Amino acid sequence: MAVNVVESKEWYLAGYAAEGVPTTDHLTLRSVPLSLSLDSIPDAHVAVQLLFISVDPYLRTRMSGQEDGLYFPQFSLNQVITAFGVGRVMRSKDEKYSEGDIVLNAFFPVAEYCVVPSSVLIRKIDPEAGIPLPEYLSCLGVPGFAAWVGIEVLGEAKPGSNAFISAAAGGVGMVAGQLAKLKGCRVIGSTGSDAKVRLIKEEFGYDDAFNYNKEVDFDATLSKYFPNGIDIYLENVGSKMLEAVLNHVNPHARIPVCGMISQYNQIWTEREGVRNLLNIVGKEVRMEGFLVGSYLDRFADFTVEMEGYLKQGKISSKIKIYEGIQSFAESLGSLFSSSNFGKVVIEVNKPR
Ligand code: NAP
């Protein structure tokens, strides 16, 4: 018999975290009854069982209570956290969607079940494509798209370019390194553990890599790894790494600024400065911040290219899966340490 009411656990924001990593002091799990009966679902809405939720660094910047840095709107207090996710349609009041459809949404509630307007669904996933569902949040999702915009669109990667990627074993970095290799670049990565250094060299084809936690002088480190200078730096971390990079850029280098994760847990007056920005002038460097949301007109091109790479085995990914919705606060906190490999995802409910 069809279930008509479920108890759905969901995460909401109980308090802003201006500094530090948000914890269960700021994020709270509650259980709410949700009616799934067709009568209770408004027209042009669908009831969805969440399968996978993407855990991304930008979510943290929506919990600070201050609009700065990434300038994403803040979650309201008591509001359910929303995130990119994959779900299965359980009931539909829109003829375009049927029970069993697998759908993507950039703003699913971080919950076990939900009822959402069908207009927010990005698309259906074709199960016949043979691509594992978490991959739609990884190589084919926000991190993969950010890597593609950074390396191909803004980085203008070409054969022989010297490319440097920070947070190189993460969701963005692992794809960015492989894309830069496919474009013929020499690619070096920095990451936070020896195991990750091995991973990106052995599995993602980086030419070389270093553990930034073991380096005392980033300037000397980059002299060693880039004797011919840096043409592309995909910036993911900010601070001292950016400062060191600016001492090694070649004329007309490109620095697509994807993020600066080392600065997300500080209020702006506590963030670290970069002393040698002047080098951008003399080396005529193009340093450009970007948000993937501004490149949605290119998302279809990206998807075709990335699906091709995945099917041909030219790009692979590592996905760290946390089990169950209760793991959201812990998995978000993990982004600010070096504990995880690859893309962080929560498996909310097992896909059938
Ligand atoms: P992620 O790799 O899945 O997780 C973050 C990683 O960053 C951690 O695993 C850790 O790896 C590293 N990290 C954490 N704190 C650090 C610190 N203080 N210094 C240096 N590294 C640190 O994250 P992601 O999804 O790939 O995101 C990477 C960057 O891209 C972030 O800045 C994010 O905000 C940005 N991003 C931007 C867009 C956009 O539209 N512009 C879209 C997606 C992501 P290590 O082991 O290497 O320390």
Side-chain angles (χ1 to χ4, degrees), residues 177-192:
Q178 294 177 86
L179 279 175
K181 280 306 293 177
L182 285 169
K183 296 289 160 189
C185 301
R186 176 176 168 270
V187 187
I188 308 292
S190 68
T191 184

Side-chain angles (χ1 to χ4, degrees), residues 55-58 70 72 142-143 146 166-173 190-193 196 212-213 235-237 257-264 290-293 334-344:
V55 184
D56 294 285
Y58 80 91
L70 303 190
F72 283 123
V142 173
S166 52
V172 174
S190 68
T191 184
S193 75
K196 290 193 191 187
Y212 66 87
N213 284 316
E235 165 67 304
N236 284 319
V237 301
V257 184
C258 184
M260 294 190 173
I261 194 167
S262 73
Q263 306 298 297
Y264 292 178
F290 71 95
L291 295 172
V292 286
S334 80
L335 300 179
F336 301 96
S337 71
S338 294
S339 54
N340 284 325
F341 289 86
K343 171 74 197 127
V344 176

Side-chain angles (χ1 to χ4, degrees), residues 100-146:
D101 284 348
I102 304 294
V103 288
L104 267 179
N105 177 7
F107 300 103
F108 267 136
V110 177
E112 293 176 305
Y113 301 88
C114 63
V115 174
V116 290
S118 49
S119 57
V120 302
L121 302 176
I122 297 172
R123 68 173 174 120
K124 289 187 212 177
I125 289 173
D126 174 10
E128 302 300 315
I131 295 174
L133 293 182
E135 205 62 87
Y136 289 92
L137 305 179
S138 180
C139 288
L140 287 167
V142 173
F145 191 36

